[in-house]
Amino acid sequence: MARKAVSGAVTWGLFAAWAVHDAEELATMARWARSARPRLQERFPGMPGGIRRRLDLPQRQVNIAIGLMGGVVAAASAAGARSGGRSPFFQTVLVGFGLHGAVHLAQSAACRGYTPGVVTAPLVVIPYTVRAVRHLAAAGVPVRGGRAAVTGLLLFPVAVAGVHGLARRIGRTGPAARPDR
């Protein structure tokens, strides 16, 4: 059976959908975190101090973290394009991206209001992911399904923590972070 081609709209569409989604986060995350912190501390009094401190997100850190995550998503899209959507890395990031859209909806429900990314989650993230998985299946590409979902769910928080940790470190050492320059 001959392989059907998977279009760039499917593989590079991951990066495009991510860019639209993260543009919302870029525009809202730092400001939202500052304004929501007191409300979240009141609503979730048992919130560990480490998480509370992580709500102090300078715009510079948000910019760097989103840029770093963009590198991961671009690499996954490139792997998907090279492999016709068969790359386990592409499929894991694809499914993880879609599931993270559902996490945005759950966060907003838990916070009882807007959280960064919740507008584009149901309008871009989830529909793109569903459509991409359907296109892969229609092209005869075996989608790793459950394994990709579990891997994506496990690796997503690690990736987010990693890019934010690295962004914090870069943000503290960059020229804009040094008051003497």
Side-chain angles (χ1 to χ4, degrees):
M1 180 176 174
R3 286 181 170 182
K4 295 178 186 172
V6 173
S7 79
V10 173
T11 57
W12 287 107
L14 173 61
F15 184 72
W18 171 86
V20 170
H21 173 66
D22 273 46
E24 177 190 357
E25 292 182 338
L26 182 67
T28 61
M29 190 178 297
R31 186 178 60 245
W32 177 87
R34 276 191 307 277
S35 68
R37 184 178 179 181
R39 190 170 22 106
L40 292 174
Q41 286 177 282
E42 184 178 313
R43 178 147 168 70
F44 303 105
M47 184 185 339
I51 292 175
R52 239 177 296 130
R53 283 189 302 280
R54 299 271 189 280
L55 287 173
D56 290 327
L57 293 171
Q59 187 64 49
R60 179 174 166 81
Q61 179 183 328
V62 171
N63 298 351
I64 295 167
I66 287 175
L68 292 169
M69 187 61 82
V72 172
V73 177
S77 293
R82 278 192 308 275
S83 67
R86 288 169 170 72
S87 162
F89 177 43
F90 168 73
Q91 289 188 12
T92 298
V93 173
L94 171 67
V95 174
F97 180 64
L99 291 172
H100 123 269
V103 169
H104 276 291
L105 299 176
Q107 285 173 334
S108 283
C111 291
R112 296 182 183 157
Y114 178 83
T115 57
V118 74
V119 172
T120 53
L123 298 176
V124 176
V125 175
I126 296 168
Y128 159 75
T129 302
V130 169
R131 187 170 177 188
V133 168
R134 286 182 180 160
H135 278 280
L136 291 172
V141 175
V143 179
R144 295 175 56 232
R147 186 183 325 175
V150 169
T151 305
L153 276 175
L154 293 175
L155 291 180
F156 181 73
V158 172
V160 169
V163 299
H164 275 282
L166 187 54
R168 242 186 330 278
R169 175 170 246 156
I170 292 169
R172 281 195 300 256
T173 61
R178 295 185 190 133
D180 58 336
R181 294 197 183 202

